[in-house]
């Protein structure tokens, strides 16, 4: 097995162009499990951890460009106030040790439907910046996930960064698992209120072949919310929102839970997160 | 590959390293440092926790090739010669050890916690140690040891 350790981004892109089968590795929290258990033996590993610019983030316009190699621990610490939904999801990733190594770039590369960062990226309408020697392009999160562990990237592309707006309203994230640490989501849900556009963003995790938005639920709730004179939400509205989120999922029965349980849990998480976010909006 | 890195302050080399093997394997099988324990090999248990460039990580999830030119501190590197680190001393005094397999990882994780927060609350201790599993269920003594080490650190 070859091991490439480029020091610069342009070097990394040149290597990926020449060796499209090289598997990128950053925090190693997915890849190393496969290597340790001999599940997969890639022809080459492309270590991205020496590339300083992937570990940087910067404020751009009304949001941020966050390098794909910024760890979950740093997202919580350095960006948590501006990206509360993503930070809440990041806090549920693994353990302190895993959050020190794991990256959103890794989550995006693996494109597992259970990845914790996907629902908040969808809810905030983030864009993924991918690059190759041919150039750079940005892919909306909603178009990035293509199938179970498949994303919209070409074989010669690498993930440079993601672009995400600073929260313009309350954001929430909820995740079901058997304990609070070290847990893969049975299902998860991300929600972002966007008072500036009077819209609501959603992201459903671990309950379909890909992370996805709950579009009917978004349309329904955007019309129901009284942004200018925010009163308490009627139970019927909360329940309907939950139902529409559950309907957006297409879950399966597997070792972590049944499809029925996932649908039920999603409706509950959607109802609760909307209630929390709306209460927070009303208070401010 | 020939792997060069700094471990516990000492520049070390290992030959014939397969770059995809884990840092944990390098430490235990190539460098003769068996303090970090191999239990789950998938980042679930924290028994292999070490500092990599000053940040606690599961050494089973770091590829050997990624360590080239970097700095590692293992549980063996915490004591000052024969003098135990205060965290180690507290674990001994409070009997925070049953089978001992999880202990090295817990000590490194606790060491890091107390570097960051000298008087952690119980919820902060639990959160900081959430990635370290003790299957003997000895957590009460472990919490006692962390509190003792924190108190001593605050008093010193």
């Amino acid at each position: 097995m070859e091991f490439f350790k480029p020091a610069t981004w342009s070097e990394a892109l040149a290597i990926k162009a020449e060796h499209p089968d090289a598997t990128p590795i950053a925090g190693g929290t997915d890849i190393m499990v496969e290597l340790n258990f001999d599940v997969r033996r890639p022809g080459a590993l492309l270590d991205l951890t020496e590339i300083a610019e992937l570990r940087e983030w910067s404020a751009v316009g009304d949001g941020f460009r966050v390098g794909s190699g910024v760890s979950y621990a740093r997202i919580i610490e350095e960006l948590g106030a501006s990206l509360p939904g993503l930070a809440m999801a990041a806090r549920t990733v693994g353990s302190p040790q895993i959050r020190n190594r794991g990256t959103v770039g890794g989550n995006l590369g693996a494109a597992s439907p259970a990845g914790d960062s996907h629902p908040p990226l969808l809810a905030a309408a983030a864009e993924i910046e991918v690059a190759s020697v041919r150039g750079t392009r940005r892919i909306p999160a909603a178009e990035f996930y293509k199938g179970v562990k498949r994303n919209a990237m070409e074989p010669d592309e690498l993930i440079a960064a993601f672009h995400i707006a600073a929260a313009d309203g309350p954001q929430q994230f909820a995740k079901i698992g058997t304990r609070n640490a070290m847990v893969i989501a049975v299902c998860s849900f991300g929600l972002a209120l966007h008072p500036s556009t009077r819209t609501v963003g959603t992201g459903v995790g671990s309950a379909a072949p890909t992370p996805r938005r709950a579009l009917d639920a978004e349309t329904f709730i955007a019309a129901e919310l009284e942004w200018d004179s925010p009163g308490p939400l009627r139970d019927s509205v909360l329940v309907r929102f939950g139902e529409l989120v559950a309907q957006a999922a297409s879950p399966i029965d597997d070792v972590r839970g049944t499809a029925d349980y996932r649908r039920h849990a999603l409706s509950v998480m959607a109802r609760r997160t909307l209630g929390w976010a709306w209460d927070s909006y009303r208070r401010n | 590959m020939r792997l060069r890195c700094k471990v516990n302050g000492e520049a070390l080399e290992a030959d014939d390293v397969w770059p995809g093997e884990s840092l944990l394997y390098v430490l235990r099988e190539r460098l003769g440092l068996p303090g970090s324990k191999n239990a789950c090999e998938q980042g679930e248990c924290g028994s292999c926790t070490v500092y990599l460039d000053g940040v606690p990580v599961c050494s089973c999830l770091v590829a050997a090739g990624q360590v080239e030119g970097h700095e590692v501190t293992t549980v063996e590197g915490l004591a000052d010669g024969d003098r135990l680190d205060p965290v180690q001393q507290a674990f001994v005094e409070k009997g925070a050890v049953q089978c001992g397999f999880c202990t090295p990882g817990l000590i490194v994780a606790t060491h890091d916690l107390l570097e960051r927060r000298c008087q952690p609350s119980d919820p902060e201790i639990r959160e900081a140690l959430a990635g370290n599993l003790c299957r003997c269920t000895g957590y009460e003594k472990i919490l006692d040891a962390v509190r003792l080490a924190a108190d001593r650190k605050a008093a010193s």
Side-chain angles (χ1 to χ4, degrees):
Chain A
M1 187 184 73
E2 280 188 280
F3 191 87
F4 299 107
K5 203 175 166 69
T8 66
W9 184 234
S10 56
E11 208 185 317
L13 295 178
I15 292 167
K16 189 63 173 153
E18 204 174 322
H19 305 270
D21 63 332
T23 301
I25 179 169
T29 55
D30 281 328
I31 302 292
M32 286 307 293
V33 177
E34 294 183 343
L35 286 179
N36 289 344
F37 287 88
D38 219 1
V39 176
R40 196 159 74 95
R41 191 61 69 89
L45 283 181
L46 175 52
D47 177 24
L48 299 175
T49 57
E50 300 293 328
I51 302 168
E53 61 200 272
L54 294 184
R55 294 193 301 272
E56 292 166 1
W57 60 264
S58 55
V60 179
D62 61 355
F64 300 91
R65 179 186 185 274
V66 185
S68 59
V70 176
S71 68
Y72 289 110
R74 287 184 54 217
I75 284 178
I76 296 165
E77 186 77 21
E78 299 168 26
L79 291 163
S82 304
L83 306 175
L86 182 60
M88 287 173 94
R91 283 189 200 95
T92 76
V93 172
S95 64
Q97 292 93 324
I98 303 295
R99 293 192 288 275
N100 283 340
R101 285 291 281 177
T103 63
V104 173
N107 237 187
L108 290 165
S112 159
D116 293 313
S117 63
H118 308 315
L121 293 180
L122 286 166
E127 292 190 346
I128 323 305
E129 180 186 323
V130 301
S132 70
V133 289
R134 297 173 290 115
T136 297
R137 64 186 177 122
R138 280 164 68 157
I139 307 170
E143 294 163 29
F144 186 78
Y145 311 107
K146 289 296 183 194
V148 178
K149 301 191 177 181
R150 280 194 298 114
N151 59 33
M153 293 167 66
E154 298 297 330
D156 64 342
E157 287 179 321
L158 293 170
I159 303 168
F162 62 95
H163 297 254
I164 186 167
D168 60 330
Q171 300 185 343
Q172 280 291 340
F173 175 80
K175 167 176 165 180
I176 301 274
T178 43
R179 63 186 280 246
N180 266 337
M182 294 308 315
V183 87
I184 300 176
V186 174
C187 56
S188 60
F189 182 69
L191 177 109
L193 298 187
H194 300 301
S196 56
T197 50
R198 318 236 142 169
T199 57
V200 175
T202 60
V204 172
S206 210
T210 67
R212 57 167 70 156
R213 291 167 66 188
L215 292 169
D216 290 346
E218 290 182 13
T219 309
F220 164 76
I221 198 63
E224 288 288 335
L225 294 177
E226 291 171 27
W227 300 94
D228 292 324
S229 52
L233 279 180
R234 292 192 313 279
D235 280 350
S236 60
V237 171
L238 288 166
V239 167
R240 184 63 187 145
F241 180 68
E243 284 170 0
L244 288 169
V245 168
Q247 281 171 24
S250 42
I252 55 168
D253 295 334
D254 69 9
V255 290
R256 297 203 296 278
T258 62
D260 281 349
Y261 176 74
R262 286 186 161 101
R263 270 192 216 95
H264 173 70
L266 270 176
S267 71
V268 174
M269 288 192 293
R271 187 155 40 87
R272 287 183 185 167
T273 52
L274 176 62
W276 296 330
W278 187 248
D279 281 348
S280 159
Y281 177 71
R282 288 178 61 208
R283 278 197 304 273
N284 291 317
Chain B
M1 65 179 282
R2 167 174 287 188
L3 177 66
R4 280 158 301 213
C5 57
K6 206 173 194 184
V7 181
N8 298 331
E10 199 183 335
L12 294 179
E13 282 185 9
D15 280 321
D16 302 321
V17 171
W18 183 62
E21 70 191 38
S22 68
L23 168 60
L24 176 61
Y25 188 88
V26 172
L27 292 170
R28 292 180 57 85
E29 309 298 334
R30 305 207 186 266
L31 299 176
L33 291 167
S36 311
K37 295 292 179 264
N38 178 3
C40 76
E41 287 195 289
Q42 50 183 313
E44 295 273 349
C45 77
S47 302
C48 67
T49 303
V50 301
Y51 283 108
L52 174 61
D53 298 328
V55 176
V57 303
C58 293
S59 59
C60 71
L61 297 183
V62 179
Q66 296 183 294
V67 187
E68 169 77 25
H70 291 268
E71 207 171 324
V72 178
T73 303
T74 70
V75 70
E76 289 97 335
L78 297 182
D80 181 8
D82 285 339
R83 242 186 59 171
L84 292 180
D85 179 87
V87 175
Q88 294 171 310
Q89 188 62 40
F91 270 65
V92 171
E93 286 178 31
K94 286 293 178 183
V97 174
Q98 289 190 43
C99 83
F101 211 77
C102 68
T103 311
L106 277 159
I107 285 175
V108 175
T110 302
H111 187 272
D112 171 65
L113 168 66
L114 299 184
E115 290 290 303
R116 291 180 287 114
R117 306 236 354 135
C118 61
Q119 288 273 268
S121 64
D122 276 9
E124 284 172 330
I125 297 172
R126 287 170 188 272
E127 177 63 31
L129 302 183
N132 294 78
L133 294 184
C134 163
R135 298 200 70 179
C136 308
T137 71
Y139 291 111
E140 283 305 321
K141 300 283 187 192
I142 291 166
L143 287 173
D144 288 345
V146 179
R147 290 186 205 110
L148 176 64
D151 288 346
R152 283 187 181 156
K153 192 166 169 143
S156 66

